[in-house]
Structure formats: structure tokens, C-alpha cells
């Protein structure tokens, strides 16, 4: 029996583990500690759960985040009392902001050992502020059947709240008294004969909270959403903006946006971190160079939209955001969550549904009939759409010509080359700062169905390696594209190596510092720029990798990189280091980004 009756703590903890396993939990990430021993033993002894021990709590929490990003299901996260719990905080913030389900279990001392310098005791109640979807402190473990029922139902509720109404973290603080080890208590052992496991867990089986935003029936479309869609059909200057997204079913997501685009005859401005650029065949109206197009002020004015449909979060592009802020189109945000996704505070309406549902709704509202004013508007729409198409084609050709002839190692060419050489379906985690921006500028539309992952909720560099390992764990051989500082910020992630199942290739752009700061006005103020902003670390990555037993290789030319990425290994971690010059790369971007569309 999976329920452990050796003592009160083992009984309590094993019911938590068994309830979650029956609900559908498959992975629990556990950091070592004494106070959490009952939980650790219960989860480790449940043979239907994969339990992964990770020393560093911050690394553990980001690894859990990565595995949850990949699966879309909650992942368990367990630690002991004290500052161990505080080290989960950055990943919990990211989980909330990027809407990833996590179940956090922090062990705690009982009430009588708090606020009395008992050691390793801090105030853990609501330690994560407002970031969890839901949080509570469980009652002290008890053996009464009514209390066990309370425990089971609370765990069920925690599972639901991690996914509904919007996915995110849930925190349960769990106090334990001694004994923390599974020594026998005769009184508790005697209860086993009275406990009917089948009755206790009756009806408990894996389930996922389904989306509730179903398409409305046709009568509801005569007003409200139906009226809105009719306005869209009448609009001759509309755009669709597809921001950062890591959907569980990217083919369905991309097909839905394509259907919306074709129905309205509007272009789709697709962020580099959206799967849309990797399903190019599905969308004939895909625009990938919008950031560069909008640097041409004359073109930007000609392309001013009347209506913009924003799918999810806005793209990273500052040019796009400034353009929307200046032109102030009527904006509709399509996203099923309850979050406010408008940092520009424009004339915005949130439609709380998914793009898949919107595509279905659009089929229920016919487009304008031909003839009269409607025909004129369709003609104007085609002219507007054609301007986007022509500009995209010309700039894409210019980028391809420019980058294809560059033989020396420069950072922008990495993001241009990857979507042309990676194996189909490759998961790639893209680190924050310059990598995400180079991807937005240069990631070429393709049909390789590459799967982008990222931490763009809070946009921090913490946990980069650990999250990427979580994405790659038991997955197709994966890629991490990162700068040196983001990797150095999380080198403890390499400690996961011995428990990691799969392969991760780390493409390390080593420009010895923070490349993004070279692109900002603060770069003109040195000192203190170099020491306090660029912060070069002077690390020998070959020696660092050798310490962790990780393969390392310096990449000296594009042919070498291409050979290394055309076929990815099945196991292990390796670092392909591309040494670059921070200042010259920044100058290249400053010299070229505004020129691609200059003469159009």
C-alpha cells in the first residue's frame, strides 16, 4: 500500500504524495533538508512518481519551472524550512508572470518553535506575497479520518488552483513536529487495518482543468463579440500581433492564427519567440521584420493601423511598442487569462479567449459581401497587406544577403543561422538580454517546427541553465542559446547533470560582459560603465566545464557550428563557446539595424 502508517508524519506525507500521483503529478523536484524528511521519503517511495534531488533550491525551482513549461502540467517542488524556501522565490515570480503551474511544498517548524530562535525557522506563511495563485498553511499532521479527508481535499484544491482559472504557482506551508524520520508509532500502525484505500481515494483519477472559454453559440454573436468581428471585417487597415508564446500544441496555435489572418486578410507580425516563425507554411501573411520596418519613419507612418489584434503578450520590440503608443489603434487582446496584458494603456479591449476559440468564432460571422463599399475596403485592405508583404520580402532579402557573406563570428548571425540548421522540432531555450533581441531581429521564418522556450514573465537572467535543463529533461535533444553572464548566474545548474535524462547543447555567446548594456545610453558613461554595468567576469569556460564534467568546445567558424548542430547527441550536456567582441557587435547592430529599411 502506498500509504505509510509508520507514524503520523509518514501517514500525512504519503497521503499528499498519493493524492497528487492519482491526480496526474509525474515529477517532484526535491532539495535536501531535515524538516522536509517526511515529505521527501513519501515522494521518493512512491514508485509512480519521478523524484529528482537537486542541491540548490534556486536551481531546483527553475528546473521544475522548465519541466512544467514543457509538459503544461504542475510539477512538485519540495524544500526544508528556513531560507531554503526563500530561494524558490525568483522561480515562483516567473511562474506567476509566465503562467506556469507549480506546486510548492515548504516544510516548516511547528508553531511552538517559531519566533523563539529555534534555528532554521523564519516566517514562511505567505512568504511569496501575492505571487501564488493560492497559498495556505496546512494543519498540524493528525491521524483522524476527518483530518485525512481535509488533507486530501486541500491537495485536490491546490492541484486545481495551479491550473485554473489561470495557471501559476500554489504554495502549501507544512509544519512538522518530531519525529521527522519514519520510526514506528504503534498507535498509528494500528490504524492501517481500519483504513480502506479504495474508499478513501474513490473517484480520484488524473484530470486536467479544461479551458472554459468555449465559442459562443450563433445567437450570442448578433451583438457583443459578433459586432466586434463585423467591425474587423470592415476595417481596411488591420494587423495581428503575435507576441511571445509557448503553447502546448504549437501546430494548433499557429493554424488558428493563420485562420484568423486569412479570414480578415490582415498581416501577422510574429515575434521571434512565437512558434509562428517556425511554421511559416501555415501563414501566407507572416511578417518577421516589423522591428526593422518600423525604424523607417516614412514607412511606419504609411503602415499606421486602425485596429490591432494582439495575441497574448506584446513582442519584445521597443520599436513596435513605441509605434503602437504613437499611432494608438483600437486594440483587442486575445488571451484566456485574467491578466492585464496592456503595458501601453491604450484603447484596449481584453477578449478572454484563446486564438483557437477566436478562429472558430470567426467562422460563425461571415465576412463582408462583395460589391459597393465592401469591395472598395477589400481592395484597400489588399493594398495595405501588399505593402507589408513587399517590405517584408525586400528586408528579408537584404538581411540574408548581408549575413550570408559575413565569415567572422558575430552575434546576430547566430540567431539568423539557427533556424536554418537545427534538426526539425528542436526545443530551444532562449536566454534574456541580447539573445531574445537578436532572435526577434534576425530569426528567419522556416518550417522546421522548432519549439522556443523562454522566461519572459519577469525577464530575469536567473535560473537560465536550470530552466533549460528542465525543458530538455526526457525531451528531444535541446538547445540553450545564452550569453556568458546569464550562464554564470546559474552555474549551479550543472549539478543537475547526474540526474538529467536527455541532451542539452549550450550555445554560449561569450562577449565577456553584459552585451545589452552596450546598446543603452549608459554605455557612454565610463567610468562606471565597464565595471558596474558590463561587469566582465574573465572566466575560462573550458576549466569551468571541466569542473562539472561537461563537454566544452570553442567554435571558430560557421562551418564548425553547423556541423555540431546538424545532428544533436542523445545524452549529456555540452557547451559550444563562441567568443565575440562585445563592443564591435554593439556597433554592428547600431550601424545596421536602422539601415535595412532605410532606402525602401
Amino acid at each position: 500500500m502506498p500509504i505509510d502508517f509508520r507514524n503520523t508524519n509518514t501517514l500525512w506525507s504519503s497521503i499528499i504524495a498519493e493524492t497528487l500521483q492519482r491526480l496526474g503529478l509525474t515529477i517532484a523536484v526535491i532539495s535536501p533538508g531535515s524538516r522536509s524528511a517526511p515529505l521527501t521519503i513519501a515522494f521518493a517511495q512512491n514508485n509512480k512518481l519521478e523524484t529528482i534531488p537537486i542541491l540548490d533550491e534556486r536551481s531546483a525551482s527553475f528546473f521544475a519551472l522548465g519541466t512544467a513549461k514543457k509538459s503544461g502540467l504542475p510539477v512538485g517542488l519540495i524544500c526544508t524550512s528556513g531560507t531554503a524556501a526563500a530561494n524558490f522565490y525568483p522561480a515562483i515570480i516567473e511562474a506567476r508572470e509566465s503562467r506556469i503551474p507549480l506546486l510548492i511544498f515548504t516544510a516548516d517548524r511547528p508553531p511552538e518553535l517559531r519566533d523563539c530562535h529555534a534555528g532554521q525557522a523564519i516566517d514562511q506563511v505567505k512568504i511569496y506575497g501575492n505571487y501564488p495563485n493560492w497559498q495556505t498553511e496546512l494543519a498540524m499532521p493528525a491521524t483522524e479520518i476527518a483530518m485525512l479527508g481535509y488533507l486530501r481535499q486541500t491537495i485536490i484544491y491546490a492541484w486545481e488552483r495551479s491550473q485554473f482559472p489561470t495557471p501559476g504557482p500554489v504554495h502549501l506551508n507544512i509544519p512538522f513536529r518530531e519525529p521527522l524520520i519514519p520510526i514506528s508509532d504503534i498507535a498509528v500502525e494500528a490504524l492501517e487495518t481500519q483504513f480502506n484505500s479504495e474508499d478513501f481515494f474513490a473517484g480520484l483519477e488524473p484530470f486536467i482543468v479544461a479551458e472554459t472559454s468555449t465559442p459562443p453559440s450563433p445567437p450570442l454573436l448578433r451583438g457583443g463579440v459578433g459586432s466586434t468581428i463585423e467591425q474587423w471585417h470592415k476595417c481596411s487597415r488591420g494587423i495581428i500581433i503575435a507576441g511571445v508564446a509557448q503553447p502546448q500544441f504549437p501546430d494548433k496555435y499557429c493554424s488558428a492564427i493563420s485562420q484568423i489572418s486569412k479570414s480578415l486578410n490582415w498581416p501577422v507580425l510574429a515575434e521571434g519567440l512565437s512558434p509562428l516563425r517556425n511554421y511559416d507554411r501555415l501563414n501566407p501573411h507572416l511578417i518577421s521584420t516589423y522591428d526593422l520596418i518600423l525604424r523607417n519613419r516614412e514607412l511606419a507612418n504609411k503602415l499606421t493601423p486602425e485596429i490591432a489584434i494582439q495575441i497574448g503578450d506584446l513582442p519584445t520590440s521597443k520599436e513596435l511598442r513605441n509605434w503602437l503608443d504613437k499611432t494608438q489603434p483600437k486594440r483587442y487582446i486575445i488571451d484566456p487569462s485574467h491578466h492585464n496584458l496592456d503595458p501601453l494603456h491604450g484603447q484596449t479591449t481584453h477578449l478572454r479567449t484563446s486564438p483557437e476559440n477566436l478562429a472558430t468564432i470567426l467562422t460563425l460571422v461571415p465576412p463582408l459581401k462583395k460589391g459597393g463599399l465592401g469591395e472598395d475596403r477589400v481592395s484597400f485592405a489588399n493594398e495595405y497587406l501588399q505593402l507589408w508583404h513587399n517590405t517584408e520580402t525586400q528586408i528579408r532579402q537584404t538581411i540574408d544577403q548581408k549575413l550570408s557573406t559575413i565569415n567572422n563570428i558575430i552575434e546576430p548571425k547566430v540567431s539568423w543561422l539557427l533556424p536554418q540548421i537545427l534538426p526539425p522540432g528542436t526545443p530551444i531555450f532562449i536566454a534574456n538580454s541580447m539573445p531574445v533581441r537578436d532572435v526577434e531581429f534576425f530569426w528567419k521564418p522556416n518550417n522546421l517546427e522548432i519549439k522556443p522556450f523562454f522566461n519572459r514573465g519577469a525577464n530575469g537572467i536567473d535560473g537560465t541553465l536550470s530552466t533549460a535543463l528542465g525543458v530538455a529533461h526526457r525531451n528531444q535533444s535541446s538547445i540553450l542559446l545564452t550569453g556568458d553572464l546569464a550562464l554564470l548566474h546559474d552555474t549551479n545548474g550543472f549539478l543537475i547533470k547526474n540526474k538529467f535524462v536527455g541532451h542539452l547543447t549550450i550555445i554560449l555567446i561569450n562577449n565577456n560582459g553584459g552585451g545589452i548594456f552596450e546598446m543603452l545610453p549608459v554605455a557612454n558613461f565610463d567610468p562606471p560603465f565597464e565595471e558596474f554595468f558590463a561587469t566582465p567576469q574573465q572566466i575560462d569556460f573550458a576549466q569551468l566545464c571541466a569542473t562539472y564534467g561537461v563537454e566544452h568546445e570553442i567554435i571558430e567558424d560557421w562551418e564548425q557550428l553547423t556541423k555540431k548542430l546538424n545532428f544533436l547527441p542523445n545524452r549529456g550536456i555540452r557547451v559550444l563557446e563562441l567568443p565575440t567582441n562585445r563592443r564591435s557587435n554593439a556597433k554592428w547592430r547600431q550601424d545596421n539595424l536602422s539601415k535595412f529599411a532605410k532606402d525602401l
Side-chain angles (χ1 to χ4, degrees):
M1 178 184 286
I3 306 305
D4 189 340
F5 283 88
R6 282 179 285 184
N7 61 48
T8 302
N9 286 339
T10 61
L11 174 60
W12 195 255
S13 299
S14 61
I15 284 178
I16 293 174
E18 181 64 14
T19 301
L20 286 170
Q21 180 271 312
R22 289 173 181 252
L23 289 171
L25 186 78
T26 59
I27 298 178
V29 180
I30 304 172
S31 292
S34 174
R35 189 61 52 172
S36 53
L39 287 170
T40 299
I41 293 168
F43 278 78
Q45 290 185 343
N46 190 307
N47 58 18
K48 293 183 179 179
L49 293 174
E50 180 182 10
T51 47
I52 303 173
I54 297 178
L55 173 64
D56 182 333
E57 285 85 6
R58 189 178 73 170
S59 183
S61 58
F62 276 103
F63 181 85
L65 181 79
T67 58
K69 281 177 182 287
K70 173 188 64 181
S71 69
L73 292 174
V75 172
L77 190 56
I78 296 169
C79 75
T80 192
S81 62
T83 56
N87 285 299
F88 284 168
Y89 208 161
I92 289 169
I93 292 172
E94 179 62 33
R96 190 269 181 190
E97 295 297 329
S98 57
R99 292 166 277 170
I100 303 298
L102 287 180
L103 287 168
I104 300 101
F105 300 96
T106 55
D108 203 350
R109 290 190 174 247
E112 68 271 16
L113 293 180
R114 301 177 190 177
D115 294 320
C116 60
H117 284 245
Q120 206 167 316
I122 64 172
D123 186 358
Q124 296 177 198
V125 178
K126 297 189 176 180
I127 189 174
Y128 306 120
N130 294 323
Y131 285 100
N133 281 3
W134 181 67
Q135 55 194 317
T136 191
E137 178 169 66
L138 291 182
M140 291 300 304
T143 59
E144 294 85 354
I145 191 64
M147 290 300 291
L148 299 181
Y150 144 81
L151 177 62
R152 178 197 59 214
Q153 295 308 113
T154 303
I155 298 301
I156 293 172
Y157 184 65
W159 176 266
E160 293 173 352
R161 286 302 309 274
S162 71
Q163 301 168 79
F164 181 83
T166 299
V170 163
H171 173 217
L172 281 77
N173 196 55
I174 309 179
F176 289 108
R177 292 192 176 102
E178 298 278 0
L180 301 175
I181 56 175
I183 59 176
S184 296
D185 181 330
I186 297 175
V188 179
E189 288 182 335
L191 298 174
E192 184 171 0
T193 58
Q194 305 170 31
F195 185 85
N196 188 314
S197 182
E198 290 187 12
D199 286 347
F200 186 79
F201 292 112
L204 198 59
E205 57 187 34
F207 71 93
I208 302 171
V209 179
E211 185 185 338
T212 58
S213 303
T214 53
S217 58
L220 294 177
L221 293 169
R222 291 174 186 149
V225 176
S227 175
T228 295
I229 291 175
E230 287 172 1
Q231 292 177 30
W232 295 352
H233 279 305
K234 292 176 184 177
C235 179
S236 61
R237 301 175 69 86
I239 60 172
I240 299 165
I241 301 169
V244 297
Q246 39 198 358
Q248 284 301 304
F249 304 102
D251 52 341
K252 293 181 181 178
Y253 174 88
C254 294
S255 295
I257 295 177
S258 173
Q259 188 176 336
I260 296 167
S261 171
K262 292 175 185 175
S263 176
L264 298 174
N265 221 26
W266 291 2
V268 179
L269 282 56
E271 153 82 58
L273 300 182
S274 164
L276 283 165
R277 291 205 202 177
N278 305 311
Y279 287 77
D280 186 39
R281 68 183 180 279
L282 295 179
N283 201 315
H285 305 325
L286 190 71
I287 307 297
S288 64
T289 60
Y290 54 86
D291 180 277
L292 307 175
I293 292 171
L294 297 176
R295 292 169 189 260
N296 181 321
R297 300 306 171 217
E298 184 180 350
L299 265 177
N301 289 334
K302 286 183 180 180
L303 292 169
T304 298
E306 295 173 4
I307 296 176
I309 296 176
Q310 174 186 325
I311 311 287
D313 286 281
L314 278 172
T316 306
S317 170
K318 192 172 182 179
E319 293 291 333
L320 175 65
R321 293 179 183 226
N322 289 342
W323 180 64
L324 291 172
D325 200 28
K326 178 184 176 182
T327 57
Q328 289 292 317
K330 173 62 180 171
R331 243 181 324 137
Y332 295 87
I333 297 178
I334 310 303
D335 191 274
S337 79
H338 67 280
H339 290 196
N340 177 4
L341 299 179
D342 182 20
L344 305 179
H345 310 298
Q347 293 180 321
T348 305
T349 300
H350 281 76
L351 300 180
R352 308 289 180 179
T353 191
S354 66
E356 292 85 350
N357 279 339
L358 180 61
T360 302
I361 293 169
L362 275 167
T363 64
L364 304 176
V365 180
L368 285 169
K369 294 180 180 179
K370 290 187 177 181
L373 181 62
E375 191 173 68
D376 291 339
R377 286 191 179 276
V378 170
S379 174
F380 286 137
N382 286 336
E383 289 177 13
Y384 181 71
L385 180 62
Q386 197 62 50
L387 179 57
W388 276 108
H389 269 297
N390 292 344
T391 310
E392 164 80 7
T393 300
Q394 292 178 66
I395 293 182
R396 179 52 61 190
Q397 289 175 349
T398 303
I399 292 172
D400 290 348
Q401 291 169 1
K402 180 81 173 178
L403 291 176
S404 63
T405 58
I406 294 175
N407 294 321
N408 60 306
I409 299 290
I410 68 165
E411 295 167 17
K413 186 164 180 174
V414 178
S415 294
W416 174 80
L417 185 62
L418 288 180
Q420 302 179 67
I421 62 174
L422 287 179
T426 300
I428 177 169
F429 188 89
I430 300 161
N432 285 321
S433 296
M434 277 319 302
V436 296
R437 287 161 175 83
D438 277 344
V439 163
E440 181 162 41
F441 299 149
F442 302 112
W443 191 271
K444 187 173 181 176
N446 63 85
N447 289 306
L448 294 178
E449 301 183 7
I450 296 164
K451 298 180 178 67
F453 292 88
F454 40 83
N455 282 341
R456 293 301 287 171
N459 298 359
I461 65 167
D462 36 0
T464 297
L465 173 59
S466 299
T467 311
L469 286 167
V471 169
H473 183 65
R474 300 191 183 278
N475 200 357
Q476 181 175 341
S477 296
S478 304
I479 297 286
L480 165 61
L481 175 62
T482 181
D484 53 307
L485 294 191
L487 184 63
L488 289 171
H489 205 275
D490 189 32
T491 53
N492 268 3
F494 283 128
L495 294 173
I496 300 170
K497 176 176 175 285
N498 292 334
K499 296 297 180 181
F500 170 64
V501 179
H503 174 76
L504 180 68
T505 288
I506 300 166
I507 301 173
L508 168 62
I509 296 174
N510 182 9
N511 55 26
N512 195 26
I516 192 168
F517 293 110
E518 294 282 357
M519 305 294 294
L520 301 177
V522 72
N524 297 318
F525 298 88
D526 190 26
F529 173 75
E530 187 69 7
E531 184 177 5
F532 289 94
F533 292 89
T535 58
Q537 300 299 307
Q538 310 293 344
I539 296 297
D540 184 332
F541 281 95
Q543 291 186 18
L544 178 70
C545 290
T547 300
Y548 291 101
V550 170
E551 182 184 341
H552 172 273
E553 184 174 344
I554 295 285
I555 300 297
E556 297 177 342
D557 56 54
W558 300 113
E559 182 181 359
Q560 180 188 4
L561 180 65
T562 300
K563 286 181 179 178
K564 291 293 177 181
L565 297 181
N566 274 332
F567 177 79
L568 298 177
N570 294 321
R571 296 188 304 275
I573 304 170
R574 66 173 177 174
V575 173
L576 304 180
E577 180 182 350
L578 285 74
T580 66
N581 185 290
R582 178 167 22 102
R583 288 199 175 98
S584 64
N585 277 280
K587 187 176 187 303
W588 190 94
R589 293 187 192 94
Q590 290 161 351
D591 289 345
N592 286 277
L593 287 177
S594 60
K595 289 182 180 178
F596 288 116
K598 183 178 179 181
D599 298 326
L600 296 181

